[in-house]
Amino acid sequence: MTAPVRTRFAPSPTGSLHIGGVRTALYCLLWARHTGGQFLLRIEDTDLTRSSDESARGIVEDLEWVGLKWDEGPDVGGEFGPYYQSKRLDLYNKYVDQLLAADRAYLAWEDHAELTAERKAAEAEKRTFRYRRRQYSDADLSRFREEGRKPVVRLSAPNHDITVDDHVLGDVTIVADELDDLIIRKADGFPTYHFAVVIDDHFMKVDLVLRGQEHLMNTHKHAGIFEALGWEPTATGHLPLIFNPTGSRMSKRDKAKAARAAARDVAKAESYPKGDWGWLAQRTERPIDEIVAFMKKSHDGVATANAIAVALDLELPMIDVSDFRKGGYLPEALLNYLALLGWSPGDDREILTMDEMVEAFSTDRITKTPARFDPDKLRWMNGEYMRALPEDRVLELLNAWFKLVDTPVAAATLEQRRLLLGMYRQRMSTFADFAASARFYFVAPTAYDSKSAKKHLLQGDGLEHLSRARSALEDVGRWEVDSLERRLGTLCEETGSKLGKFAQPLRVATSGSAVTPPIFDVLAFLGRGEVLNRIDACLGHFSESA
């Protein structure tokens, strides 16, 4: 029997929550639940220039949306709080001062320009730059203080190799010459991520840290800090990277790349001068300096990329949890899919409930090689959940989704939403699909699918059948599915025609295309007045174009 394990997820609130972060949090929760341990959430907000309360709230909200519940952390509390690093500065400073007093750490006074010059010199000499402790004269120190410099605190690197026994990758060794004298407190008085995370993992009694392989090299830095403080290092396991279908790493920068590529294509197609992005600033209503810097790759601002996407009618890659929420995916499906990106239950199951994942989860079945994100597989899985979840749960999620997006379908009453789900649930993959298909119920067509119109209206007696259907429907008493079906059935008997001869023209007239749910459900939902108005509009449209 595995002993209870305490795990944690510790995001930095510097942007939206990446789905790779959700997978990390999920694996941490699954292992904690499997072993009967606890799962902690900690917000690592020591980067003053990039962290924001808005981002922290967004991360917490996204984790709640996917259904990951933490035992300790923000909004929950716990024995080892506070769970925001910015509220734990006294604890970090206590141990920085302890290391300074023991001469394991020291003050370093070089400014950014000096360190940049040293790195460039090392690069020119084709050697790796490693910072080592320097001796300063009294004159140097006086000059630094007169210039208003604020020192950082660096930790002396161990003079021996460091080997980490990783739960996923096995032994990973970094030789002593590759270890830097790490900054543990910045000039602004805040600890670095590396130092704070070690202090917190120790005092929060974290047993296992699971995180992405991009953080592997940080583990050796943390091991050096644990050693300097005389503490047993927290165990680690590094998860496989998530790749795009094309084989590149799935990154937030993908949005910026897609936006730049689309802008360049438009610039070329519309013959704008090379490097002239004034037109893009106008369309996006963003400052020209921001747009120029973005196109020169000086920044990858998501807000800028989103503005370009809106202006150019571009669909950006889905990277963050918020993208999938707005895209109409279900949290149960997203978690299920992410669980299988780098882990398997040991059999051929693909649809697993949370309880089933908890029961089957084991760190020894986490893979080492990158996992490839397959959007089609996720869409398939989302469709399976659409059909399998209780109707009330799907309706609950649909109601929440309507608050995130701008769609006329959101005008539907609760009763209408149930009716529409009944019509579409068996065939839709996402709520976005649903809204696109059901849009015609709330916005009358102003154009008609050319192939559908040609086949069902303009060839043969399509328009005549539509006109006769209108006359028959006008006489219907109660506007209900059964009554509508009986009346058109009578019309078929009177004319010797099959139902399709009337149903397909009605579909085109009421929806703009020949693909809808059952025609009597459509007619009943729209109501007598709307149906007759749409038929008249369709007949008028094609009589004018004849």
Side-chain angles (χ1 to χ4, degrees):
M1 181 69 179
T2 304
V5 175
R6 285 172 62 85
T7 65
R8 55 80 165 167
F9 178 56
S12 297
T14 57
S16 300
L17 182 60
H18 189 284
I19 59 163
V22 176
R23 185 193 63 174
T24 296
L26 173 61
Y27 284 11
C28 290
L29 180 142
L30 291 177
W31 191 230
R33 296 284 181 268
H34 181 86
T35 62
Q38 296 85 38
F39 170 57
L40 290 66
L41 175 64
R42 184 174 72 227
I43 304 298
E44 301 192 335
D45 57 347
T46 57
D47 188 336
L48 292 179
T49 59
R50 299 176 62 220
S51 296
S52 71
D53 292 341
E54 180 183 1
S55 177
R57 287 193 298 271
I59 289 170
V60 169
E61 182 181 322
D62 284 342
L63 289 173
E64 290 175 337
W65 176 77
V66 295
L68 298 183
K69 300 183 182 300
W70 46 97
D71 303 298
E72 300 174 24
D75 302 329
V76 174
E79 181 181 354
F80 303 103
Y83 294 90
Y84 286 83
Q85 288 187 333
S86 59
K87 299 178 181 180
R88 301 170 63 85
L89 297 183
D90 289 344
L91 180 64
Y92 307 138
N93 285 329
K94 173 183 176 180
Y95 287 94
V96 170
D97 293 342
Q98 178 178 302
L99 292 171
L100 285 168
D103 203 34
R104 298 296 300 269
Y106 59 91
L107 302 182
W109 292 83
E110 289 75 24
D111 62 20
H112 178 73
E114 290 168 340
L115 291 174
T116 299
E118 291 184 24
R119 289 191 180 93
K120 287 183 177 179
E123 185 178 344
E125 296 170 9
K126 297 183 179 181
R127 59 180 174 83
T128 303
F129 173 73
R130 300 293 179 211
Y131 188 96
R132 292 293 182 262
R133 190 169 190 168
R134 287 93 186 271
Q135 296 298 320
Y136 306 106
S137 67
D138 291 341
D140 288 334
L141 294 174
S142 295
R143 176 170 59 84
F144 296 153
R145 293 188 177 99
E146 287 175 3
E147 292 174 354
R149 295 194 191 189
K150 300 291 184 181
V152 301
V153 177
R154 288 183 179 266
L155 180 72
S156 295
N159 57 6
H160 58 80
D161 301 350
I162 291 182
T163 297
V164 173
D165 179 14
D166 191 84
H167 276 225
V168 176
L169 303 175
D171 286 352
V172 182
T173 299
I174 297 293
V175 299
D177 288 345
E178 295 180 6
L179 297 170
D180 212 3
D181 280 9
L182 190 67
I183 296 175
I184 58 174
R185 186 165 65 195
K186 297 172 288 186
D188 62 7
F190 270 65
T192 58
Y193 154 78
H194 301 296
F195 190 72
V197 77
V198 167
I199 299 295
D200 289 341
D201 285 345
H202 175 76
F203 282 102
M204 292 181 180
K205 301 186 183 301
V206 174
D207 297 308
L208 176 65
V209 172
L210 295 175
R211 56 189 173 210
Q213 285 183 17
E214 65 270 24
H215 296 290
L216 178 60
M217 292 302 101
N218 292 336
T219 304
H220 298 82
K221 299 173 183 177
H222 301 167
I225 298 173
F226 274 114
E227 179 182 311
L229 291 168
W231 299 339
E232 187 71 21
T234 302
T236 60
H238 287 84
L239 311 178
L241 299 174
I242 299 177
F243 280 4
N244 287 309
T246 57
S248 60
R249 180 181 165 189
M250 196 172 186
S251 166
K252 292 186 177 184
R253 293 187 178 91
D254 293 344
K255 292 185 178 183
K257 292 177 183 177
R260 288 190 192 102
R264 293 191 187 102
D265 288 344
V266 171
K268 182 177 180 181
E270 299 183 9
S271 302
Y272 288 108
K274 185 176 182 180
D276 176 10
W277 299 110
W279 65 271
L280 188 57
Q282 287 185 329
R283 293 192 193 183
T284 58
E285 298 182 351
R286 309 290 291 193
I288 183 64
D289 291 345
E290 173 190 323
I291 293 295
V292 170
F294 180 84
M295 295 305 299
K296 289 183 176 180
K297 302 181 182 180
S298 297
H299 72 88
D300 294 318
V302 174
T304 310
N306 286 337
I308 292 173
V310 171
L312 304 184
D313 195 23
L314 169 69
E315 188 171 324
L316 293 177
M318 290 187 178
I319 303 294
D320 302 320
V321 175
S322 57
D323 298 329
F324 292 91
R325 290 182 68 181
K326 292 176 183 176
Y329 286 85
L330 306 180
E332 291 88 344
L334 187 59
L335 278 186
N336 188 161
Y337 180 73
L338 291 176
L340 302 177
L341 279 184
W343 169 82
S344 74
D347 51 40
D348 59 359
R349 285 179 294 168
E350 291 188 302
I351 305 296
L352 297 101
T353 66
M354 178 63 79
D355 288 342
E356 290 169 337
M357 287 189 278
V358 167
E359 182 180 1
F361 192 81
S362 174
T363 55
D364 59 12
R365 284 201 293 272
I366 297 174
T367 62
K368 298 179 182 180
T369 56
R372 187 159 296 196
F373 188 90
D374 184 346
D376 293 334
K377 183 70 171 288
L378 174 59
R379 281 182 59 84
W380 166 80
M381 187 172 287
N382 205 68
E384 293 296 305
Y385 272 90
M386 282 287 188
R387 291 176 280 281
L389 287 176
E391 180 184 286
D392 284 348
R393 173 59 176 161
V394 177
L395 184 61
E396 174 191 359
L397 292 168
L398 176 63
N399 293 338
W401 182 74
F402 279 143
K403 296 177 181 178
L404 299 176
V405 297
D406 181 16
T407 171
V409 185
T413 64
L414 183 60
E415 181 182 358
Q416 288 176 328
R417 292 176 187 186
R418 285 191 184 276
L419 286 172
L420 290 172
L421 281 178
M423 294 182 201
Y424 286 100
R425 196 171 163 200
Q426 295 303 313
R427 67 185 76 182
M428 69 188 193
S429 295
T430 67
F431 288 140
D433 295 342
F434 165 72
S437 298
R439 187 178 189 276
F440 76 88
Y441 287 103
F442 303 91
V443 180
T446 55
Y448 303 88
D449 177 69
S450 59
K451 290 184 178 179
S452 299
K454 181 179 180 180
K455 180 177 180 180
H456 300 295
L457 294 177
L458 303 181
Q459 289 182 352
D461 298 324
L463 289 173
E464 181 181 344
H465 281 104
L466 179 61
S467 181
R468 296 194 68 168
R470 188 206 185 285
S471 298
L473 292 172
E474 193 173 22
D475 295 336
V476 171
R478 290 182 304 150
W479 194 267
E480 297 174 354
V481 169
D482 291 345
S483 303
L484 293 167
E485 191 170 0
R486 283 195 300 272
R487 184 63 188 94
L488 283 188
T490 301
L491 180 61
C492 290
E493 293 175 0
E494 293 171 352
T495 60
S497 299
K498 293 183 177 179
L499 179 61
K501 291 293 184 179
F502 297 103
Q504 291 303 89
L506 282 170
R507 282 193 168 95
V508 177
T510 54
S511 74
S513 81
V515 180
T516 72
I519 188 59
F520 300 111
D521 290 338
V522 172
L523 299 177
F525 188 97
L526 287 172
R528 183 195 309 270
E530 184 66 19
V531 168
L532 297 179
N533 286 340
R534 292 189 183 192
I535 293 174
D536 290 341
C538 180
L539 291 170
H541 175 85
F542 287 103
S543 66
E544 291 174 2
S545 59

